[in-house]
């Protein structure tokens, strides 16, 4: 989101168009799938702690629900736009389809910065977001979840409001709830671990041992932290991480050639995934410019922060040593950068496959909530590994057989499944 002119929805449509050209999709189906089915934009007035009223802007976009209820997170971000939410809702449709779970794609957001809001003000935003949409979301139609800068607490406020409005308990309305309040064990780890399940499979196919690899990671929030944890457990070493510095309003990279220490870094990281750079310097980290994570001499890059980070302007800075890019974030790579990555033969695990662990585990949470019976963590993570691994193998087989770039292969599988569901329902 550094570039103000960047339109993520145009990028999501460009990715779709590229694949739709190669699929036998008729014009009507194509037009239907390249746009969201429903969009909601609304005002959220909040009485602030100082007595004034501030009106926040809220969004929910339901891209496609042919395969099941819409599913997707709610982001709190000061630069949130309807186009970002549209793009993310579309990517959710493909994401649910590529891992073959019976859900469609949705996404929501509020233009706000929780850094500057009290807990009470955030609670009001959450409750009011649900009040605006109480008839348009629900366990059988659209199931929200946490995303950038929203947490289990935000989800619980939203659930409480939904249940108050509808006068009954609906634990399957929202996922990412706190464990003990209908949340699933393993949800916190799920997205980051899912990135590494797919990375592990990619390394197997490339005949590379994880123990012989080093990686650089953009972001140090939920996805990045658990991706680093599991990557280290399978033998890898992370030498650089980056994050946003709220005080300086810019990002920094933190480098340590002998490997970052996840546990000590976590001790100096705030709940938004921001690392204290003075303390990091004291611990021996080299503090570099925000973009430095991309330029490291590593085998693996894991963008796990925001969209629009690997672009036509910086893709040539990727080290010749890089063999795999595992996209933890949504939309981190622009189509211009994709061209460079494809030409260089770097193996990319596209976002909507690599980071599908979160929604897959959310689906498990919904199943458990609806049954009111909860699984042990090993069972959740075991099921997650099976789903992610089989989705990865289906995409990489398709890429190999049809000589496609991995992103295009994932799109071919996902779009074909969604188009088929639309045809089966008689919509197109
Ligand atoms: P988070 O809020 O926990 O962490 C975001 C991290 O990115 C923080 O460390 C922040 O400092 C860093 N960051 C922000 N701007 C940056 C910049 N310009 N340069 C470097 N670092 C920057 O968010 P998260 O849940 O880890 O999500 C990260 C990405 O993964 C997002 O694109 C999100 O949509 C995607 N994603 C998340 C999940 C999930 O389950 N959390 C699931 C699928 C996809």
């Amino acid at each position: 989101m550094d570039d103000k002119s960047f339109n993520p929805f145009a990028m999501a449509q460009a990715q779709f168009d590229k694949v739709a050209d190669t699929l036998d999709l008729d014009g009507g189906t194509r037009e239907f799938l390249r746009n969201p089915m429903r969009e909601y934009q609304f005002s959220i007035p909040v009485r602030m702690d100082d007595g004034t009223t501030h009106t926040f802007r809220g969004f929910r976009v339901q891209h496609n629900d042919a395969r099941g209820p819409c599913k997707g997170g709610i982001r709190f971000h000061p630069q949130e736009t309807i186009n970002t939410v549209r793009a993310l809702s579309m990517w959710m449709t493909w994401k649910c389809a590529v891992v073959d779970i019976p859900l469609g794609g949705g996404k929501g957001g509020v233009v706000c910065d929780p850094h500057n809001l009290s807990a009470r003000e955030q609670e009001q935003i959450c409750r009011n977001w649900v009040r605006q949409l109480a008839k348009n979301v629900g366990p059988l139609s659209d199931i929200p979840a946490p995303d950038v800068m929203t947490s289990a607490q935000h989800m619980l406020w939203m659930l409480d409001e939904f249940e108050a409005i509808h006068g009954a308990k609906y634990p399957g309305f929202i996922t990412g709830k706190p464990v003990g309040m209908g949340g699933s064990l393993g949800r916190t780890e799920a997205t980051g671990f899912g990135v590494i399940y797919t990375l592990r499979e990619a390394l197997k196919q490339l005949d590379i041992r994880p123990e012989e690899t080093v990686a650089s990671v953009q972001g140090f929030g939920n996805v990045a932290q658990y991706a680093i944890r599991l990557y280290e457990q399978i033998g890898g070493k992370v030498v650089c991480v980056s994050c946003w510095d709220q005080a300086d309003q810019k990002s920094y990279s933190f480098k340590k050639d002998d490997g970052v220490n996840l546990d000590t870094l976590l001790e100096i990281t705030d709940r938004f995934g921001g690392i204290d750079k003075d303390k990091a310097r004291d611990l021996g980290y080299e503090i570099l410019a925000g973009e430095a994570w991309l330029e490291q001499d590593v085998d693996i890059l894991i963008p796990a922060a925001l969209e629009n980070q690997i672009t036509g302007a910086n893709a040539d800075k990727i080290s010749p040593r890089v063999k795999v890019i595992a996209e933890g974030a949504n939309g981190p790579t622009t189509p211009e950068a994709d061209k460079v990555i494809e030409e260089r033969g770097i193996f990319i695990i596209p976002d909507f496959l690599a980071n599908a662990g979160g929604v897959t585990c959310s689906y498990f949470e919904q199943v458990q909530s609806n049954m009111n019976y909860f699984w042990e963590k090993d069972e959740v993570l075991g099921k997650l590994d099976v789903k992610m691994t089989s989705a990865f193998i289906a995409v990489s087989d398709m890429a190999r057989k049809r000589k496609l770039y991995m992103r295009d292969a994932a799109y071919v599988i996902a779009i074909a499944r969604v188009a088929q569901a639309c045809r089966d329902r008689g919509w197109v």
Side-chain angles (χ1 to χ4, degrees):
M1 288 216 249
D2 301 327
D3 174 3
K4 300 262 182 301
S5 64
F6 171 67
N7 179 346
F9 184 49
M11 174 171 135
Q13 288 187 317
Q15 290 170 344
F16 170 80
D17 288 341
K18 185 178 168 202
V19 174
D21 284 344
T22 69
L23 281 172
D24 218 5
L25 281 190
D26 63 276
T29 307
R30 216 172 137 143
E31 192 54 25
F32 181 65
L33 290 179
R34 76 194 293 283
N35 289 295
M37 291 176 69
R38 287 176 291 273
E39 297 186 358
Y40 305 97
Q41 299 189 45
F42 46 92
S43 294
I44 303 180
V46 170
R47 180 67 51 84
M48 306 299 280
D49 291 349
D50 65 6
T52 60
T53 298
H54 186 89
T55 301
F56 297 89
R57 199 75 190 140
F59 308 112
R60 186 72 182 173
V61 176
Q62 297 168 345
H63 173 260
N64 188 288
D65 59 8
R67 287 173 46 88
C70 294
K71 184 90 193 79
I74 301 171
R75 308 177 7 141
F76 283 0
H77 200 281
Q79 271 102 47
E80 195 64 285
T81 67
I82 185 65
N83 281 323
T84 310
V85 183
R86 284 178 179 139
L88 290 164
S89 73
M90 192 172 183
W91 285 321
M92 284 305 296
T93 303
W94 313 137
K95 193 181 294 191
C96 294
V98 85
V99 282
D100 205 10
I101 55 178
L103 296 168
K107 204 78 176 188
V110 178
V111 185
C112 71
D113 188 348
H115 290 95
N116 308 326
L117 296 166
S118 70
R120 193 200 64 81
E121 290 164 344
Q122 292 181 49
E123 178 178 349
Q124 293 313 307
I125 293 176
C126 290
R127 290 188 183 279
N128 212 333
W129 191 95
V130 172
R131 284 204 288 277
Q132 299 296 330
L133 286 173
K135 292 196 178 71
N136 311 107
V137 293
L140 301 178
S141 56
D142 184 358
I143 305 130
D147 205 295
V148 173
M149 289 203 271
T150 52
S151 66
Q153 176 63 73
H154 296 106
M155 298 305 108
L156 197 55
W157 285 326
M158 290 183 165
L159 175 66
D160 189 64
E161 191 65 26
F162 187 85
E163 291 180 338
I165 291 168
H166 292 282
K169 297 297 173 201
Y170 293 97
F173 157 58
I174 209 158
T175 61
K177 302 180 289 290
V179 173
M181 291 296 289
S184 176
L185 291 168
R187 175 62 186 88
T188 317
E189 295 88 341
T191 307
F193 276 22
V195 172
I196 304 304
Y197 295 144
T198 59
L199 174 64
R200 180 196 63 203
E201 295 305 308
L203 292 175
K204 254 188 230 167
Q205 292 199 357
L206 296 170
D207 211 12
I208 299 170
R209 295 177 56 228
E211 299 87 329
E212 289 161 4
T213 63
V214 294
S216 177
V217 180
Q218 188 190 34
F220 198 62
N222 172 261
V223 179
Q225 290 171 14
Y226 286 98
I228 294 170
R229 172 82 67 214
L230 190 61
Y231 173 62
E232 288 182 350
Q233 278 172 19
I234 65 169
K237 184 169 82 173
V238 173
V239 292
C240 188
V241 298
S242 74
C243 67
W244 182 253
D245 187 290
Q246 184 61 17
D248 295 359
Q249 288 291 298
K250 58 194 275 208
S251 57
Y252 292 103
S253 299
F254 299 75
K255 187 177 178 191
K256 211 167 202 206
D257 287 333
D258 57 351
V260 305
N261 183 319
L262 181 61
D263 291 322
T264 47
L265 267 189
L266 285 174
E267 282 167 20
I268 59 167
T269 299
D270 66 23
R271 66 197 166 92
F272 299 107
I275 300 169
D276 184 320
K277 66 177 182 313
D278 296 325
K279 290 184 181 155
R281 198 177 284 113
D282 292 344
L283 288 169
Y285 285 85
E286 212 180 320
I287 316 290
L288 305 171
E291 235 189 58
W293 74 278
L294 183 74
E295 302 162 16
Q296 298 304 307
D297 181 34
V298 292
D299 307 286
I300 295 158
L301 291 175
I302 305 180
L306 288 175
E307 58 275 11
N308 192 29
Q309 299 302 307
I310 308 179
T311 66
N314 65 16
D316 60 336
K317 294 187 182 152
I318 296 173
S319 157
R321 180 174 162 187
V322 170
K323 296 167 192 80
V324 182
I325 299 177
E327 295 183 325
N330 287 313
T333 308
T334 65
E336 297 72 41
D338 265 333
K339 280 190 201 129
V340 178
I341 292 165
E342 186 173 4
E343 270 165 27
R344 284 181 46 182
I346 298 173
F347 191 104
I348 195 157
I349 312 173
D351 50 3
F352 66 98
L353 171 63
N355 70 31
V359 73
T360 304
C361 193
S362 285
Y363 164 59
F364 294 158
E365 177 176 332
Q366 205 204 357
V367 170
Q368 294 170 83
S369 285
N370 289 340
M371 287 191 303
N372 209 9
Y373 176 78
F374 291 84
W375 308 332
E376 297 304 324
K377 190 177 195 170
D378 284 352
E379 188 175 353
V380 175
L381 293 176
K383 284 180 173 17
L384 182 65
D385 195 348
V386 169
K387 267 280 182 211
M388 295 300 294
T389 300
S390 56
F392 175 87
I393 290 171
V395 173
S396 60
D397 280 356
M398 168 72 77
R400 205 173 321 112
K401 272 189 213 128
R402 296 207 13 206
K403 295 196 176 18
L404 292 172
Y405 186 50
M406 275 290 281
R407 189 182 316 282
D408 297 344
Y411 266 114
V412 166
I413 289 177
I415 293 171
R417 284 181 182 157
V418 178
Q420 188 62 43
C422 294
R423 277 194 291 272
D424 289 349
R425 284 178 181 274
W427 289 355
V428 290

Coordinates of all heavy atoms in Angstrom, one line a residue, residues 344-407:
R344 N 12.7 -15.8 -14.4 CA 13.9 -16.3 -13.6 C 13.8 -17.7 -13.1 O 14.7 -18.3 -12.5 CB 14.2 -15.4 -12.5 CG 14.9 -14.1 -13.0 CD 15.3 -13.1 -12.0 NE 15.9 -13.7 -10.8 CZ 16.3 -13.1 -9.7 NH1 16.1 -11.8 -9.7 NH2 16.9 -13.7 -8.8
G345 N 12.6 -18.3 -13.3 CA 12.4 -19.7 -12.9 C 12.3 -19.9 -11.4 O 12.6 -21.0 -10.9
I346 N 12.0 -18.8 -10.6 CA 11.8 -19.0 -9.2 C 10.5 -19.7 -8.9 O 9.5 -19.3 -9.6 CB 11.9 -17.6 -8.5 CG1 13.2 -16.9 -8.7 CG2 11.6 -17.7 -7.0 CD1 13.3 -15.5 -8.2
F347 N 10.5 -20.6 -8.0 CA 9.3 -21.4 -7.7 C 8.4 -20.6 -6.8 O 8.9 -20.3 -5.6 CB 9.7 -22.7 -7.1 CG 8.5 -23.7 -6.9 CD1 8.4 -24.8 -7.8 CD2 7.6 -23.6 -6.0 CE1 7.4 -25.7 -7.7 CE2 6.5 -24.5 -5.8 CZ 6.5 -25.5 -6.7
I348 N 7.3 -20.2 -7.2 CA 6.4 -19.3 -6.3 C 5.2 -20.2 -5.8 O 4.7 -21.0 -6.5 CB 5.9 -18.1 -7.1 CG1 5.3 -17.1 -6.0 CG2 4.9 -18.4 -8.1 CD1 5.3 -15.6 -6.5
I349 N 5.0 -20.1 -4.5 CA 3.8 -20.7 -3.9 C 2.8 -19.5 -3.7 O 3.0 -18.7 -2.9 CB 4.1 -21.4 -2.6 CG1 5.4 -22.3 -2.7 CG2 2.9 -22.2 -2.1 CD1 5.8 -22.9 -1.4
P350 N 1.8 -19.4 -4.6 CA 1.0 -18.2 -4.6 C 0.2 -18.1 -3.3 O -0.2 -19.1 -2.7 CB 0.1 -18.5 -5.8 CG 0.0 -19.9 -6.0 CD 1.4 -20.5 -5.6
D351 N -0.1 -16.8 -3.0 CA -0.8 -16.4 -1.8 C -2.0 -17.3 -1.5 O -2.1 -17.8 -0.4 CB -1.1 -14.9 -1.8 CG -1.8 -14.5 -3.1 OD1 -2.1 -15.3 -4.0 OD2 -2.1 -13.3 -3.2
F352 N -2.9 -17.4 -2.4 CA -4.2 -18.0 -2.1 C -4.0 -19.5 -1.8 O -5.0 -20.1 -1.3 CB -5.3 -17.6 -3.0 CG -5.2 -18.1 -4.4 CD1 -5.9 -19.2 -4.8 CD2 -4.4 -17.4 -5.3 CE1 -5.8 -19.7 -6.1 CE2 -4.3 -17.8 -6.7 CZ -5.0 -19.0 -7.1
L353 N -2.9 -20.1 -2.2 CA -2.6 -21.5 -1.8 C -1.7 -21.5 -0.5 O -2.1 -22.1 0.5 CB -1.8 -22.2 -2.9 CG -1.2 -23.5 -2.6 CD1 -2.3 -24.5 -2.3 CD2 -0.4 -24.0 -3.8
A354 N -0.6 -20.7 -0.5 CA 0.3 -20.7 0.6 C -0.4 -20.3 1.9 O -0.1 -20.9 3.0 CB 1.5 -19.8 0.3
N355 N -1.2 -19.3 1.9 CA -1.8 -18.8 3.2 C -3.2 -19.3 3.4 O -3.9 -18.8 4.3 CB -1.6 -17.3 3.3 CG -2.6 -16.5 2.3 OD1 -3.6 -17.0 2.0 ND2 -2.1 -15.3 1.9
A356 N -3.6 -20.3 2.7 CA -5.0 -20.9 2.9 C -5.1 -21.6 4.2 O -6.2 -22.1 4.5 CB -5.3 -21.8 1.7
G357 N -4.0 -21.8 5.0 CA -4.2 -22.5 6.2 C -5.1 -21.8 7.2 O -5.8 -22.5 8.0
G358 N -5.1 -20.5 7.2 CA -6.0 -19.7 8.1 C -7.5 -20.0 7.8 O -8.2 -20.4 8.7
V359 N -7.8 -20.0 6.5 CA -9.3 -20.2 6.2 C -9.6 -21.6 6.4 O -10.8 -22.0 6.8 CB -9.7 -19.6 4.9 CG1 -9.1 -20.4 3.7 CG2 -11.2 -19.5 4.8
T360 N -8.7 -22.5 6.1 CA -9.0 -23.9 6.3 C -9.2 -24.2 7.8 O -10.2 -24.9 8.1 CB -7.8 -24.8 5.8 OG1 -7.6 -24.4 4.4 CG2 -8.1 -26.3 5.9
C361 N -8.4 -23.7 8.7 CA -8.6 -23.9 10.1 C -9.9 -23.2 10.6 O -10.6 -23.6 11.5 CB -7.4 -23.4 10.9 SG -7.4 -24.0 12.5
S362 N -10.2 -22.0 9.9 CA -11.5 -21.3 10.3 C -12.7 -22.2 9.9 O -13.7 -22.3 10.6 CB -11.6 -20.0 9.5 OG -10.7 -19.1 10.0
Y363 N -12.5 -22.9 8.8 CA -13.6 -23.8 8.4 C -13.7 -24.9 9.5 O -14.8 -25.3 9.9 CB -13.3 -24.4 7.0 CG -14.0 -25.6 6.6 CD1 -15.4 -25.6 6.6 CD2 -13.3 -26.8 6.3 CE1 -16.1 -26.8 6.2 CE2 -14.0 -28.0 6.0 CZ -15.4 -28.0 5.9 OH -16.0 -29.1 5.6
F364 N -12.5 -25.4 9.9 CA -12.6 -26.5 11.0 C -13.2 -25.9 12.2 O -14.0 -26.6 12.9 CB -11.2 -26.9 11.3 CG -10.4 -27.7 10.3 CD1 -9.0 -27.8 10.3 CD2 -11.1 -28.3 9.2 CE1 -8.4 -28.5 9.3 CE2 -10.5 -29.0 8.2 CZ -9.1 -29.1 8.2
E365 N -12.9 -24.6 12.5 CA -13.5 -24.0 13.7 C -15.0 -23.9 13.6 O -15.8 -24.2 14.5 CB -13.0 -22.6 13.9 CG -13.6 -21.9 15.1 CD -13.0 -20.5 15.4 OE1 -11.8 -20.3 15.1 OE2 -13.7 -19.6 15.9
Q366 N -15.5 -23.5 12.4 CA -16.9 -23.5 12.2 C -17.6 -24.8 12.3 O -18.6 -24.9 12.9 CB -17.2 -22.9 10.7 CG -18.5 -22.2 10.6 CD -18.9 -22.2 9.1 OE1 -18.2 -22.7 8.2 NE2 -20.1 -21.7 8.9
V367 N -17.0 -25.9 11.8 CA -17.5 -27.2 11.9 C -17.6 -27.6 13.4 O -18.6 -28.1 13.9 CB -16.6 -28.2 11.2 CG1 -17.0 -29.7 11.5 CG2 -16.6 -28.0 9.7
Q368 N -16.5 -27.3 14.2 CA -16.5 -27.6 15.6 C -17.6 -26.8 16.3 O -18.3 -27.3 17.2 CB -15.1 -27.4 16.2 CG -14.0 -28.3 15.6 CD -12.6 -27.8 16.1 OE1 -12.2 -28.1 17.2 NE2 -12.0 -27.0 15.2
S369 N -17.7 -25.5 16.0 CA -18.6 -24.7 16.7 C -20.1 -25.1 16.4 O -20.9 -25.2 17.3 CB -18.5 -23.2 16.2 OG -17.4 -22.6 16.8
N370 N -20.3 -25.5 15.2 CA -21.7 -26.0 14.8 C -22.0 -27.3 15.5 O -23.1 -27.5 15.9 CB -21.8 -26.1 13.3 CG -21.9 -24.7 12.6 OD1 -22.2 -23.7 13.3 ND2 -21.6 -24.7 11.3
M371 N -21.0 -28.1 15.7 CA -21.2 -29.4 16.4 C -21.1 -29.3 17.9 O -21.5 -30.2 18.6 CB -20.0 -30.4 16.1 CG -20.1 -31.0 14.7 SD -18.9 -32.4 14.5 CE -17.4 -31.6 15.0
N372 N -20.6 -28.2 18.4 CA -20.3 -27.9 19.8 C -19.4 -29.1 20.4 O -19.6 -29.5 21.5 CB -21.6 -27.8 20.6 CG -21.4 -26.9 21.8 OD1 -20.4 -26.3 22.0 ND2 -22.4 -26.9 22.7
Y373 N -18.5 -29.5 19.6 CA -17.5 -30.5 20.0 C -16.2 -30.2 19.4 O -16.0 -29.9 18.2 CB -18.0 -31.9 19.4 CG -17.0 -33.0 19.7 CD1 -17.0 -33.6 21.0 CD2 -16.1 -33.4 18.7 CE1 -16.0 -34.6 21.3 CE2 -15.2 -34.4 19.0 CZ -15.2 -35.0 20.3 OH -14.2 -36.0 20.6
F374 N -15.2 -30.1 20.3 CA -13.9 -29.5 19.9 C -12.7 -30.6 19.8 O -12.7 -31.5 20.7 CB -13.6 -28.4 20.8 CG -14.5 -27.2 20.6 CD1 -15.8 -27.2 21.2 CD2 -14.2 -26.2 19.6 CE1 -16.7 -26.2 20.9 CE2 -15.1 -25.2 19.3 CZ -16.3 -25.2 19.9
W375 N -11.9 -30.4 18.8 CA -10.8 -31.4 18.6 C -9.6 -30.9 19.3 O -9.4 -29.7 19.6 CB -10.5 -31.4 17.1 CG -11.7 -31.7 16.2 CD1 -12.9 -32.3 16.5 CD2 -11.9 -31.2 14.8 NE1 -13.7 -32.3 15.5 CE2 -13.1 -31.7 14.4 CE3 -11.0 -30.6 13.9 CZ2 -13.6 -31.5 13.1 CZ3 -11.5 -30.3 12.7 CH2 -12.8 -30.8 12.2
E376 N -8.7 -31.9 19.6 CA -7.4 -31.6 20.2 C -6.5 -30.9 19.1 O -6.8 -31.0 17.9 CB -6.7 -32.9 20.6 CG -7.3 -33.7 21.7 CD -7.6 -32.9 22.9 OE1 -6.7 -32.1 23.3 OE2 -8.6 -33.1 23.6
K377 N -5.5 -30.2 19.6 CA -4.7 -29.4 18.7 C -4.0 -30.2 17.6 O -4.0 -29.9 16.4 CB -3.6 -28.6 19.5 CG -2.9 -27.6 18.7 CD -2.0 -26.9 19.7 CE -1.4 -25.6 19.2 NZ -0.7 -24.9 20.2
D378 N -3.5 -31.4 18.0 CA -2.8 -32.3 17.1 C -3.7 -32.7 15.9 O -3.3 -32.8 14.8 CB -2.2 -33.5 17.8 CG -1.0 -33.2 18.6 OD1 -0.5 -32.0 18.5 OD2 -0.5 -34.1 19.3
E379 N -5.0 -32.9 16.3 CA -6.0 -33.4 15.3 C -6.2 -32.2 14.3 O -6.3 -32.5 13.1 CB -7.3 -33.8 16.0 CG -8.3 -34.4 15.1 CD -9.5 -34.9 15.7 OE1 -9.6 -34.9 17.0 OE2 -10.4 -35.3 15.0
V380 N -6.3 -31.0 14.8 CA -6.6 -29.8 14.0 C -5.4 -29.7 13.0 O -5.6 -29.6 11.8 CB -6.8 -28.6 14.8 CG1 -6.9 -27.3 13.9 CG2 -8.0 -28.7 15.7
L381 N -4.2 -29.7 13.6 CA -3.0 -29.4 12.7 C -2.7 -30.6 11.8 O -2.3 -30.3 10.6 CB -1.8 -29.1 13.6 CG -1.9 -27.8 14.4 CD1 -0.7 -27.6 15.3 CD2 -2.0 -26.6 13.5
G382 N -3.1 -31.8 12.2 CA -2.9 -32.9 11.3 C -3.9 -32.8 10.1 O -3.5 -33.0 9.0
K383 N -5.1 -32.5 10.4 CA -6.1 -32.3 9.3 C -5.6 -31.2 8.4 O -5.8 -31.2 7.2 CB -7.5 -32.0 9.8 CG -8.2 -33.2 10.5 CD -9.6 -32.7 10.9 CE -10.6 -33.7 11.4 NZ -10.3 -35.0 11.8
L384 N -5.1 -30.1 9.0 CA -4.7 -28.9 8.2 C -3.5 -29.3 7.2 O -3.5 -29.0 6.1 CB -4.2 -27.8 9.2 CG -3.7 -26.6 8.5 CD1 -4.9 -25.9 7.8 CD2 -3.1 -25.6 9.6
D385 N -2.6 -30.1 7.8 CA -1.4 -30.5 7.0 C -1.9 -31.4 5.8 O -1.5 -31.2 4.6 CB -0.5 -31.4 7.9 CG 0.9 -31.5 7.2 OD1 1.0 -31.2 6.0 OD2 1.8 -32.0 7.9
V386 N -2.9 -32.3 6.0 CA -3.4 -33.1 4.9 C -4.0 -32.2 3.9 O -3.7 -32.4 2.7 CB -4.4 -34.1 5.5 CG1 -5.2 -34.8 4.4 CG2 -3.8 -35.1 6.4
K387 N -4.9 -31.3 4.3 CA -5.6 -30.4 3.3 C -4.5 -29.6 2.5 O -4.7 -29.4 1.3 CB -6.5 -29.4 4.1 CG -7.9 -29.9 4.2 CD -8.6 -29.7 2.9 CE -10.1 -30.1 2.9 NZ -10.5 -30.5 1.6
M388 N -3.6 -28.9 3.2 CA -2.6 -28.1 2.5 C -1.7 -28.9 1.6 O -1.5 -28.4 0.5 CB -1.8 -27.3 3.6 CG -2.5 -26.4 4.5 SD -3.3 -25.0 3.6 CE -2.0 -24.1 2.9
T389 N -1.3 -30.0 2.0 CA -0.4 -30.8 1.2 C -1.1 -31.3 0.0 O -0.6 -31.2 -1.2 CB 0.1 -32.0 2.0 OG1 0.8 -31.5 3.2 CG2 1.0 -32.9 1.2
S390 N -2.4 -31.8 0.1 CA -3.1 -32.3 -1.1 C -3.4 -31.1 -2.1 O -3.3 -31.3 -3.3 CB -4.3 -33.1 -0.8 OG -5.2 -32.4 0.0
A391 N -3.7 -29.9 -1.5 CA -3.9 -28.8 -2.4 C -2.6 -28.4 -3.1 O -2.6 -28.1 -4.3 CB -4.4 -27.6 -1.6
F392 N -1.5 -28.4 -2.4 CA -0.2 -28.1 -3.0 C 0.1 -29.0 -4.2 O 0.5 -28.7 -5.3 CB 0.9 -28.1 -2.0 CG 2.2 -27.9 -2.6 CD1 2.7 -26.6 -2.9 CD2 3.0 -28.9 -3.1 CE1 3.9 -26.4 -3.5 CE2 4.2 -28.7 -3.8 CZ 4.7 -27.4 -4.0
I393 N -0.1 -30.4 -3.9 CA 0.2 -31.4 -4.9 C -0.7 -31.2 -6.1 O -0.2 -31.3 -7.3 CB 0.2 -32.8 -4.3 CG1 1.3 -32.9 -3.3 CG2 0.2 -33.9 -5.3 CD1 1.3 -34.2 -2.4
A394 N -2.0 -30.9 -5.9 CA -2.9 -30.8 -7.1 C -2.4 -29.6 -7.9 O -2.4 -29.7 -9.2 CB -4.3 -30.5 -6.6
V395 N -2.0 -28.5 -7.3 CA -1.6 -27.3 -8.0 C -0.2 -27.6 -8.7 O 0.0 -27.3 -9.9 CB -1.5 -26.1 -7.1 CG1 -0.8 -24.9 -7.9 CG2 -2.8 -25.7 -6.6
S396 N 0.7 -28.2 -8.0 CA 2.0 -28.4 -8.7 C 1.9 -29.4 -9.8 O 2.6 -29.3 -10.8 CB 3.1 -28.7 -7.6 OG 2.8 -29.9 -7.0
D397 N 1.0 -30.4 -9.6 CA 0.8 -31.4 -10.7 C 0.3 -30.7 -12.0 O 0.7 -30.9 -13.1 CB -0.2 -32.5 -10.3 CG 0.5 -33.5 -9.5 OD1 1.7 -33.5 -9.3 OD2 -0.3 -34.4 -9.0
M398 N -0.7 -29.8 -11.7 CA -1.3 -29.0 -12.8 C -0.2 -28.2 -13.5 O -0.2 -28.1 -14.7 CB -2.4 -28.2 -12.3 CG -3.0 -27.1 -13.2 SD -4.0 -27.8 -14.5 CE -5.5 -28.1 -13.7
A399 N 0.6 -27.5 -12.7 CA 1.7 -26.6 -13.2 C 2.6 -27.5 -14.1 O 3.0 -27.0 -15.2 CB 2.4 -26.0 -12.1
R400 N 3.0 -28.6 -13.6 CA 3.9 -29.5 -14.4 C 3.3 -30.0 -15.6 O 3.9 -29.8 -16.7 CB 4.4 -30.6 -13.5 CG 5.8 -31.1 -13.9 CD 6.3 -32.2 -13.0 NE 6.1 -32.0 -11.5 CZ 5.3 -32.7 -10.8 NH1 4.7 -33.7 -11.2 NH2 5.2 -32.4 -9.5
K401 N 2.1 -30.5 -15.5 CA 1.4 -31.1 -16.7 C 1.2 -30.1 -17.8 O 1.4 -30.3 -19.0 CB 0.1 -31.7 -16.3 CG 0.3 -33.2 -15.8 CD -1.1 -33.8 -15.7 CE -1.1 -34.8 -14.5 NZ -2.1 -34.6 -13.5
R402 N 0.7 -28.9 -17.4 CA 0.4 -27.9 -18.4 C 1.4 -26.8 -18.6 O 1.2 -25.8 -19.2 CB -1.0 -27.3 -18.0 CG -2.1 -28.4 -18.1 CD -3.5 -28.0 -18.4 NE -3.8 -26.7 -18.9 CZ -5.0 -26.1 -18.7 NH1 -5.9 -26.7 -18.0 NH2 -5.2 -24.9 -19.2
K403 N 2.6 -27.1 -17.9 CA 3.7 -26.1 -18.0 C 3.3 -24.7 -17.7 O 3.5 -23.7 -18.4 CB 4.3 -26.1 -19.4 CG 5.0 -27.5 -19.8 CD 5.9 -27.3 -21.0 CE 6.6 -28.6 -21.4 NZ 6.2 -29.9 -20.8
L404 N 2.6 -24.6 -16.6 CA 2.1 -23.3 -16.1 C 2.9 -22.7 -15.0 O 3.5 -23.5 -14.2 CB 0.6 -23.4 -15.6 CG -0.4 -23.8 -16.7 CD1 -1.8 -24.1 -16.0 CD2 -0.6 -22.6 -17.7
Y405 N 2.9 -21.4 -14.8 CA 3.4 -20.7 -13.6 C 2.5 -21.2 -12.5 O 1.3 -21.3 -12.7 CB 3.3 -19.2 -13.9 CG 3.9 -18.3 -12.9 CD1 5.2 -18.4 -12.4 CD2 3.1 -17.2 -12.4 CE1 5.7 -17.5 -11.5 CE2 3.6 -16.3 -11.5 CZ 4.9 -16.4 -11.1 OH 5.4 -15.5 -10.2
M406 N 3.1 -21.4 -11.3 CA 2.3 -21.9 -10.2 C 1.1 -21.1 -9.9 O 0.0 -21.6 -9.5 CB 3.2 -22.0 -8.9 CG 4.0 -23.2 -8.8 SD 3.0 -24.7 -8.5 CE 2.7 -24.6 -6.7
R407 N 1.2 -19.7 -10.0 CA 0.0 -18.9 -9.7 C -1.1 -19.2 -10.7 O -2.3 -19.4 -10.3 CB 0.3 -17.4 -9.7 CG -0.8 -16.6 -9.2 CD -0.6 -15.1 -9.2 NE 0.7 -14.6 -8.8 CZ 1.1 -14.5 -7.6 NH1 0.3 -14.8 -6.6 NH2 2.3 -14.1 -7.3

